[in-house]
Structures are given as structure tokens and as C-alpha cells.
Amino acid sequence: MYKTLSPGAIGIRGLSLADSVALAARSGFGGLDFSIEQAAQLAEASGVEGVKALFDEAGIRYGAWGLPVRWQGDETDWQADLEKLPRYAALAAELGADRTSTWCPSSSDTRAFDENYAWHISRFQPIAAALAEHGIRFGIEFLGPQTLRPAHKHVFIYDMAGMLELTAALGTDNVGLLLDAWHLYTSGGAVDDLDSISNADIVNVHVNDAPRGLQMHEYIDNDRRLPLETGVLPLREFMQKLAQLEYDGPVTPEPFSARLNAMNDDLQAARITAESMNQLWGLAGLVQGNRVKNYLLQQ
């Protein structure tokens, strides 16, 4: 496992790829979740070797890249993006950046469950197939909070078991979970649920914490906390389970923190976030360092 920065997850917008890499390195992260579109633009200007050099010289590993497909959009937008996906996937494969992910809404205004299931299969299958052609793994995130499933909407998949059924139904071997500790918790899941999966089921991971003093039905998706800020989520046990599974991918903090978002200093926000990750690694008994495989330390 390695600690990965996603600038947007801590309220930092508008950075170039070079600036994002530099921010990750200066703040102490070992990896970067990045835009494959930005990487493609740099590759056009400087070649693929220029993109590789940008990451390598900073000592930054590739995290997950955001899926550049408007799969929830209308037929025109979705098909246009799908046509471009093989080019992006080929670039990612050449870089060695073999993980991409997206999220899946847990309710629908218009489609009942069975219709919605079939619709998602019809959208996700072509994406998964295009990515599989280039050896790219595809993670799909379930959304746990009950507030995303109001009574007037049709409920869809919102937990780990349901999402694993969907990924299996796609019929390719490259699809798994974007596993978020927040969504596992707010879906009513537990850390022990991870005993039923393996490293092969996890494409990338998000970590965060939750506000204190709320009932399960009160959690709002965009109101979270930095890892270990409140101690509501069982992050120590979550990380130890990942270590036991020998999970080998990126772990990205996604706190959606109003405090961080209000900061005018990007480096300070990133360093505060990195320190929360260092504390999490220490609490879980994980080997510090991002260039080596992390295992539980012997107690």
C-alpha cells in the first residue's frame, strides 16, 4: 500500500499535472491520483517519456486516474467519451498506471432496481471491455449513506456485497471495488466484511473519518473528516485488514473537509492531510515508507 494524494479531495482545484506531482512530493505523499486527460496533453507535448520522467524524478507513483467517460450522461456524450477511452487506456498502460475508477449512485429518480441494474450493465460493460484490452483495472465505488437513498427515490446498490455482484455480472476479469472506508461504514458494513474478499477484488481505496454524535441516518456524504480526526470509523482495523489481504494499491484520503477547503495554502492543506495518513499508518502498525510493500509489523 502507498499513500496517495488527490488534490480535489482536499479542495485543491486547477493545478496542472506538474504542479500536482510537485505538491504530492513536497507534502510527503508517495503517489498521486491524476487526470489521464492531463497526462495525454503532456504526452502530446513531451512524449510518454516526459510523463514518466515527471513522476519518476519526483519519486511519485501512479495512483488511480479518474475515468474520463460521462457514462451517466446522454447517449451522445457517453458514446463520444467511450470512443476516446482506448487511447487513454493505451497511454495509461504504457505509463504503468493500471487503475481507474468511478462511483455508482445508490438511488434513481426514474429507474426501478431491475431496470437500473440492466442500464448500469449496459454502460459499464463496454467501459470494462475497453479497459481490459489494455490491462487496466476498473474500480466501482458503492455509496453508503442513507441520505443518498431518500424514500421518494428508487434504491439501488449501496453496499459491498451488492457492488461485487454487479462487478461479477460484467463478465470481465478487470473490475473490482473502489473501496471507501466511509461508504463501508455508512452502508452498515463492517471491517470483518473484508474477510470475504481478496486483494484482487480491490482496485483502489479511500480513507476518511466521520463527524461525531450522529446517528447512521444522519450522515451527509460531503461532510466527512480527516482520517483519525474523530475516531468514529474503525480505521486501524480497516487498514490492518487491507494489510492482511496484502493489498498493494493506492490509499487516498478523501475527507471532504470544510476546514481544509477553506485554506488558501495548498501545501499546508496537503501536509496536514499527509500527517493524518502518517498517523494512520503508525496506529495500524504499518511499515512507513511508500516505495516498499507494507506489512503489519510484528508486535
Side-chain angles (χ1 to χ4, degrees):
M1 290 183 280
Y2 53 100
K3 303 163 213 168
T4 304
L5 174 67
S6 171
I10 57 173
I12 299 173
R13 312 288 180 187
L15 297 184
S16 68
L17 182 59
D19 287 341
S20 295
V21 169
L23 180 64
R26 291 183 65 196
S27 57
F29 282 92
L32 176 73
D33 289 347
F34 68 103
S35 162
I36 195 67
E37 295 101 325
Q38 286 187 327
Q41 291 170 1
L42 180 58
E44 289 177 3
S46 305
V48 175
E49 292 305 315
V51 181
K52 290 181 178 179
L54 176 66
F55 280 80
D56 289 345
E57 290 172 7
I60 295 298
R61 299 174 66 172
Y62 303 108
W65 41 279
L67 183 72
V69 178
R70 291 167 290 181
W71 62 268
Q72 298 183 58
D74 62 31
E75 192 69 20
T76 299
D77 290 341
W78 130 255
Q79 287 292 342
D81 289 349
L82 186 64
E83 290 178 7
K84 300 174 185 176
L85 184 59
R87 177 170 65 91
Y88 289 130
L91 170 61
E94 194 169 356
L95 293 173
D98 63 351
R99 302 173 194 248
T100 186
S101 57
T102 190
W103 56 275
C104 180
S106 54
S107 64
S108 171
D109 289 322
T110 59
R111 291 186 292 269
F113 187 94
D114 288 347
E115 179 188 359
N116 207 17
Y117 196 93
W119 184 87
H120 278 81
I121 292 289
S122 73
R123 291 292 173 107
F124 284 148
Q125 270 185 335
I127 292 170
L131 295 170
E133 286 290 324
H134 299 277
I136 306 299
R137 299 180 64 197
F138 178 28
I140 306 176
E141 182 179 43
F142 61 90
L143 306 185
Q146 294 178 24
T147 50
L148 294 177
R149 295 173 267 136
H152 65 278
K153 291 192 175 187
H154 300 288
V155 174
F156 194 52
I157 294 167
Y158 64 87
D159 61 11
M160 189 177 80
M163 186 54 68
L164 286 170
E165 289 182 9
L166 178 65
T167 61
L170 295 176
T172 59
D173 295 328
N174 64 322
V175 188
L177 298 170
L178 191 181
L179 180 63
D180 189 310
W182 162 270
H183 291 302
L184 180 66
Y185 179 79
T186 57
S187 70
V191 170
D192 286 347
D193 294 345
L194 303 189
D195 290 336
S196 66
I197 65 175
S198 71
N199 178 42
D201 294 310
I202 309 171
V203 175
N204 58 315
V205 169
H206 290 170
V207 290
N208 27 60
D209 214 332
R212 292 189 183 97
L214 299 181
Q215 299 297 314
M216 194 63 75
H217 67 275
E218 296 177 309
Y219 287 116
I220 304 297
D221 193 46
N222 62 358
D223 182 19
R224 311 184 193 178
R225 300 292 183 269
L226 282 165
L228 303 183
E229 186 173 346
T230 59
V232 173
L233 269 61
L235 291 179
R236 176 179 182 271
E237 295 80 4
F238 179 80
M239 295 301 298
Q240 289 179 339
K241 286 288 187 183
L242 292 178
Q244 290 166 7
L245 294 174
E246 298 189 9
Y247 171 65
D248 57 358
V251 180
T252 305
E254 191 182 48
F256 294 150
S257 167
R259 177 167 64 93
L260 289 180
N261 292 351
M263 288 183 179
N264 294 320
D265 187 329
D266 291 350
L267 181 57
Q268 181 187 18
R271 282 177 170 167
I272 289 171
T273 306
E275 180 55 30
S276 76
M277 295 293 282
N278 292 339
Q279 291 174 5
L280 176 58
W281 249 243
L283 180 66
L286 302 176
V287 175
Q288 294 288 344
N290 294 290
R291 306 296 293 186
V292 298
K293 197 170 186 179
N294 294 305
Y295 291 102
L296 284 175
L297 289 172
Q298 296 298 318
Q299 300 297 319

